[in-house]
Amino acid sequence: MKEQLAAEMERLRRLWRILQLEKRDHCQDRVVLGGLERLLARLRDELSSGELGPLAEELFAKAEGYGQLTPPERRKVILELEDLLRGVGATTAVTVTTTATVAAGAGESQPQPPSGAFPKAGDLQAPVRYAKGVGTQREKLLAKLGIRTIEDLLLYFPRRIEDRSRIKRIASLRHGERATIRGLIRAVDVIRPRGDLEILKVAVQDSTGIAYAVFFNQPWLRKQLRPGERIALWGEVERTWGEIQLASPVWEPADENFLTGRLVPIYPLTEGLTQPMLMRLIRENLALYQDQIEELLPEEVRERHGLLPRREAFFKIHFPQSMEEFERARTTLAFEELFLFQIGVALERRRTRAQQGNILEIDDDLLEGFIAGLPFELTGAQRRAVEEIRQDLAAPRPMNRLLQGEVGSGKTVVALIACLIAHASGYQAALMAPTEILAQQHYHVIGELVRRAGWPLRVGLLIGSLPEREKAALRRLIAQGELDLVIGTHALIQDEVRFRRLGLAVIDEQHRFGVIQRAQLERKGKNVDILVMSATPIPRTVTLTLYGQFDISILDELPRPRRIKTYWVAEERREEVYAIVRKRLAAGEQAYIVYPLVEESEELELRAATQMFEELSRGPLRGFRLGLLHGRMGEREKRRVMEQLRARELDALVATTIIEVGIDVPDASVMVIEHAERFGLAQLHQLRGRIGRAGQEAVCFAIASPKTEEAKRRLAAFRDLDDGFRIAEEDLLIRGPGELMGLAQHGLDTTFKAADLLRDLELMKRAREEAFRLIEEDPEHPLVGEFKRRFGERFELARF
Ligand code: ADP
Ligand code: MG
């Protein structure tokens, strides 16, 4: 089919663009969620039946094991992949607009000027090699920093500003402080304590005393630093043996005032480029190109938010006179980029809003009857979410809602009520979970609720591990409309699965799926309403970026507040921990013992898991009924173990991280996390969410003797904080945004240059509001072009 082929080619072109991005990102395998290999596996599966099947197979074969390679090796793979794509002509990248509207044939997004053709003078879009002070050598170095055009250079904002403005008298210098001094070079000594070490000791005098600047192995400085010259120095002061020293200080001629005596921008660097080099490049080109920096935001927006004129902001973010100036410039440029990004979000939202939707309604009595049949009262947060979802479903456009709530906040029942509403209007619903265990558990819990409440909902479970015959039977029931709610895994989106009338798709743990799977499920019906659920606590700014086009309901209230005491215990005291565990197990409680396992190889992991299990059953937990759960077990086996735990046939479960997601055994109340320093903070918190689920008093021991400050901070935060969102924010502070829950995979750590995803929530909200207003008034506003230019495919990658 021609149409299908065109669609598949488009996928390959998209792949091409992703490869370009990956190269630009130095082959770190983080530009696609889940990694390149997984993307190609998916592509292979999805294209297997078509004409491009063999090619997709070959692409996948080349990319196998990609994640394990070093960046240079990955680069080779990319080149090979590119060759294959070139072979079918899937190279003319097209400009990505929003996810749905892809304009064909608009040319490369990063055009290489044809050789000989010079870009017109003063063009900010020109390659950076046309910038003043940049030759081929520097061009390469700048590329490593992601700087390709002159505009990129001007947009390369300092990470922070260092205040070197205070000039101190030498006599008043205190040990440990950082300061600028100015003085006359009195003497220069060369000392050679060892053959491979040359120390240059420069005596600098001002009217109050003498300080020594010390440089190591920089023989060329001897020519530059001569007695009688006046210089300025900036560095950390050491007072030892009555001498004042500055080791490897920044220095310059006393009247230069460029690197000292003022506020100095600090840029992220790469080897071969220094701070002064970048500062000079940026200063000179800023001066040269300033006329090209035109106002971008609508005048009234700029005024409403008290932003600086754009050109002024560019100067002041790089070369501020005061911290206030810097902050104001940063705010201005952060607002600008958030605003542009949210234009994309607004367009996407507008597109979904414009779609025709089904009207799914239920009358009050029926709904209240359902809710009254629950074995518990809904929390206020759950009620609000139900009401929001109900209104969405009743509206004549498809719902696009994110239900966000910590583990245990009660998302399942909210989703179930949504399914009931769909059913009441004669539609089927589907609930997709990332693993069989989770699907199984939903089936179990929902089945139980439905039975007890006597709701007329026919529920089925469709997972890959069922015998083919059973699956076929289920598919028949689904197609005939004999099932009202189908719970399942990826098995739900297979081609053979056809719904009679799918009205609502719920996706649990959305971050484990991609946009593609969501779209596949969506296509199983007409104008399907979508509810995605996530327990990943991410700061709100990040939510507004990743999930910007969704409406959001938040469950910020736990039905049964957790009562978990968390202890951080040093390795040496492990015995004491197990003594407590034994006591609690003897009293009839249930425990998880968690080990971090790195998947170096399947076999190793299997062996390690089994070995731990045996050690525990022979040693500290002898006499108790232990189960083992690890990543190398088959789905069925895992399920059996979980069932045993739930049925109290086991006292404790020795497990690797796979219990992380959504497992619900309400009775478990003890957790021991071994080598806790190896887990991230968010992960630790998710793990802890497995215990005390019935609201009983529970205890969690994190066993760790961490070496790094970061790990110590993490464990202290884990011990002291229990709110998921606070934890997410702390995590962000400790690790930086790139590390947080796959943000780097979305490129979010580099998408924004001035905005700070942790601090800029207020700014983000305001920028978002303005962008939405702009698109509402004029969806073809010229700034849409600016948005595309600035973010391009980055935008797509940064979304769910
Ligand atoms: P989540 O999926 O958000 O992690 P679940 O939906 O699995 O949480 O709910 C966690 C537990 O809380 C389940 O055992 C569920 O039955 C129970 N629960 C949900 N809502 C309430 C409520 N309003 N009152 C008491 N228990 C509730
Ligand atoms: Mg859940």
Side-chain angles (χ1 to χ4, degrees), residues 59 64 72 83 91 120 124 144 169 177-178 183-184 196 242 251 298 393 397 464 474 543 553 570 586 600 645 692 768:
L59 287 168
E64 225 171 336
D83 277 345
T91 61
K120 69 173 191 290
L124 283 180
K144 286 197 190 152
R169 292 165 191 282
E177 78 173 319
R178 300 168 138 220
L184 194 67
D196 59 346
W251 71 273
L393 291 174
R397 53 166 192 266
L474 274 165
T543 308
S553 298
E600 275 170 39
L645 188 68
R768 179 176 161 92

Side-chain angles (χ1 to χ4, degrees), residues 345-371:
V345 173
L347 284 171
E348 197 158 312
R349 192 176 159 96
R350 198 184 138 83
R351 187 174 52 75
T352 49
R353 294 245 145 179
Q355 275 166 20
Q356 190 57 252
N358 303 316
I359 294 178
L360 277 47
E361 279 178 314
I362 190 167
D363 60 59
D364 290 336
D365 291 348
L366 203 50
L367 180 62
E368 286 307 321
F370 281 146
I371 292 175

Side-chain angles (χ1 to χ4, degrees), residues 787-799:
F787 148 71
K788 288 179 194 166
R789 208 180 56 72
R790 195 75 83 80
F791 291 105
E793 64 248 291
R794 286 252 146 188
F795 180 75
E796 237 188 317
L797 290 175
R799 331 296 319 300

Side-chain angles (χ1 to χ4, degrees), residues 405-412 438 441-442 508-509 533 535 661-664 690 693:
E406 265 214 74
V407 168
S409 57
K411 295 185 288 296
T412 315
L438 262 181
Q441 182 182 292
H442 277 315
D508 196 16
E509 305 294 344
M533 306 199 286
V661 175
I663 293 305
D664 191 12
R690 306 292 121 226
R693 302 199 66 151

Side-chain angles (χ1 to χ4, degrees), residues 659-695:
I659 58 163
E660 217 181 303
V661 175
I663 293 305
D664 191 12
V665 175
D667 289 345
S669 55
V670 180
M671 176 170 283
V672 180
I673 306 176
E674 292 274 0
H675 296 293
E677 75 280 0
R678 294 200 207 153
F679 292 97
L681 183 53
Q683 217 177 1
L684 285 169
H685 183 62
Q686 293 242 329
L687 280 171
R688 173 170 60 185
R690 306 292 121 226
I691 55 170
R693 302 199 66 151

